[in-house]
Amino acid sequence: MKNIFDFFKIFRVNKSISIDLGTANILIYDKQKRRIVLNEPSVVARDRKTGKIIAVGREAREMLGKTPASIEAIKPLQDGVIADIDSTKEMISYFLHKIYGNSLFKPEVMICVPIEVTSVERKALFDSVKGAKKTYIIEEGRAAIIGSGIDISQPEGNMVVDIGGGSTDIAILSLDEVISSKSIKTAGNKFDEDIVRYIKKKYNLLVGDRTAEKIKKELGTALKMTEPEIMDIKGRDLELGIPNTVQVNANEIYEAIEDSLYQIVNSSKEVLEKCPPELAADILDNGIVMTGGGSLIRNFVELMEKEIGIKVYLAENPLDSVVLGGGKAFDNKKLLKTLQMRES
């Protein structure tokens, strides 16, 4: 497969796209079309012998944990950053070709990344979209709060907790800038790992990542429930070595993810402790915005309010806030000047 943007050789139209390179999913927003044009799992399947890409996105995700020895299904993005640069390039190139076909243009690209991404990781991200007219990098916290419809250009404090797949970004912003922030590796994937570990320890049953994700979505809760829902779970009995089914309830899943939930709560408190008093007063009035897939854990907003003592709101489009904010950032010339940028 050709390197990313190899088909963008001739600049014909102004095109601006925002890319949320998530550990779980990759989203692409087309500013001219004013909509998200792609939302696919960040998974690539390749032949081990030839190195050839066999499947990308949903098709590749279906292969996770089910491939023969000759095929490997991998997630090229880990903790919100690039772990496999070549697979990431090919994945993005595949998706862009899927959306735009053989259209020839060199777009402006906004890449959304965790707040504490390193300089080495930033270079890898720039390289992943080599050939774009201009490439900007924006922190996911900034993008998420912009995508939630909040104007951060004013001299007023706003706070966001963005819980993605690989990382949680917590930030306080004012005048387009990040005032106080923290990024932790506790997020959606960590919840899945907690569930796998809990079920293995309690029931001696091994379940896969996809099963754990399903359990999280259906039974996940941030507060104990008086009448917890129940779910049948299928996996491999580690003692007998054969498939087995057990029943688990929502309160058990709460026990499984409780420590991770409180890591996010406590990190939010730490960011607030670093906040200047005037901005802290603004946040007390404005509240905290929660966004990202992890924010959809049942009762998580209520847990945050209970532990922090500040009103917490769930973003209108928590799954899309980051990529939408990246698209809106193109309209803020002052903000663009604060972002790291590279021209081709």
Side-chain angles (χ1 to χ4, degrees):
M1 188 180 290
K2 295 181 179 180
N3 284 337
I4 186 168
F5 295 129
D6 275 358
F7 47 90
F8 294 143
K9 297 296 185 184
I10 303 173
F11 179 68
R12 291 184 179 175
V13 295
N14 291 320
K15 178 68 72 175
S16 300
I17 61 175
S18 167
I19 302 177
D20 179 8
L21 282 177
T23 303
N25 293 282
I26 177 170
L27 285 80
I28 299 178
Y29 174 82
D30 186 311
K31 183 175 179 293
Q32 281 66 42
K33 293 183 179 179
R34 297 183 180 181
R35 63 182 176 88
I36 294 171
V37 291
L38 182 122
N39 184 351
E40 293 254 7
S42 303
V43 184
V44 172
R46 67 167 68 245
D47 188 297
R48 291 182 187 272
K49 293 181 181 179
T50 64
K52 183 180 178 181
I53 297 291
I54 297 171
V56 181
R58 290 187 181 88
E59 186 180 352
R61 186 176 184 273
E62 292 297 321
M63 298 181 183
L64 282 173
K66 300 179 181 180
T67 58
S70 61
I71 299 173
E72 61 175 345
I74 60 172
K75 296 181 178 181
L77 296 143
Q78 300 292 332
D79 300 327
V81 295
I82 294 176
D84 185 329
I85 183 68
D86 292 331
S87 293
T88 301
K89 287 179 181 179
E90 292 185 275
M91 179 176 68
I92 301 173
S93 181
Y94 173 89
F95 284 141
L96 288 169
H97 189 272
K98 178 179 179 179
I99 300 165
Y100 299 111
N102 293 320
S103 300
L104 300 178
F105 58 90
K106 292 179 68 175
E108 290 185 310
V109 178
M110 184 76 65
I111 307 177
C112 309
V113 302
I115 287 172
E116 295 179 4
V117 69
T118 67
S119 58
V120 174
E121 291 164 341
R122 285 176 182 266
K123 183 180 184 303
L125 288 163
F126 277 126
D127 290 343
S128 74
V129 289
K130 192 173 182 180
K133 181 185 178 186
K134 289 181 182 178
T135 305
Y136 297 92
I137 286 180
I138 186 171
E139 302 90 341
E140 288 177 356
R142 258 205 275 199
I145 202 163
I146 294 170
S148 300
I150 294 173
D151 182 5
I152 62 169
S153 65
Q154 302 302 313
E156 186 173 72
N158 288 284
M159 182 170 176
V160 63
V161 179
D162 175 37
I163 309 167
S167 65
T168 292
D169 284 341
I170 306 158
I172 293 171
L173 304 103
S174 177
L175 291 170
D176 292 319
E177 295 277 9
V178 176
I179 307 300
S180 176
S181 68
K182 185 171 185 176
S183 182
I184 59 175
K185 304 304 183 186
T186 302
N189 289 353
K190 181 61 166 59
F191 297 148
D192 297 344
E193 292 168 11
D194 293 340
I195 292 168
V196 170
R197 191 180 305 111
Y198 180 90
I199 293 172
K200 180 180 179 181
K201 183 178 180 180
K202 185 167 183 178
Y203 294 103
N204 208 31
L205 190 77
L206 185 63
V207 298
D209 293 340
R210 292 185 62 194
T211 298
E213 183 182 14
K214 183 179 179 182
I215 296 167
K216 175 185 67 181
K217 290 180 177 179
E218 294 190 20
L219 295 184
T221 176
L223 295 171
K224 281 200 170 183
M225 306 175 69
T226 54
E227 296 183 3
E229 295 178 23
I230 297 172
M231 180 179 175
D232 287 334
I233 296 172
K234 298 176 182 178
R236 178 165 58 86
D237 190 301
L238 292 173
E239 185 177 342
L240 302 175
I242 59 175
N244 194 11
T245 302
V246 299
Q247 278 193 340
V248 297
N249 64 59
N251 285 345
E252 290 177 293
I253 303 308
Y254 166 77
E255 291 177 21
I257 66 176
E258 181 183 11
D259 287 347
S260 293
L261 293 170
Y262 274 90
Q263 285 179 28
I264 295 172
V265 171
N266 292 332
S267 294
S268 300
K269 289 180 180 179
E270 289 176 23
V271 172
L272 276 167
E273 288 169 2
K274 300 175 187 176
C275 180
E278 293 299 328
L279 294 182
D282 291 338
I283 293 167
L284 194 60
D285 291 334
N286 297 333
I288 298 170
V289 177
M290 285 185 71
T291 186
S295 67
L296 295 174
I297 293 284
R298 189 169 16 186
N299 301 317
F300 205 169
V301 167
E302 288 78 6
L303 175 67
M304 290 283 285
E305 284 187 347
K306 174 187 169 186
E307 295 295 331
I308 298 177
I310 296 174
K311 184 65 179 175
V312 179
Y313 303 90
L314 186 64
E316 185 177 347
N317 298 297
L319 294 172
D320 306 333
S321 296
V322 170
V323 75
L324 293 175
K328 289 181 179 179
F330 284 113
D331 296 324
N332 189 331
K333 302 305 179 184
K334 182 182 174 183
L335 172 62
L336 290 179
K337 291 179 181 179
T338 71
L339 302 179
Q340 189 174 354
M341 185 269 286
R342 189 167 77 179
E343 294 187 74
S344 62

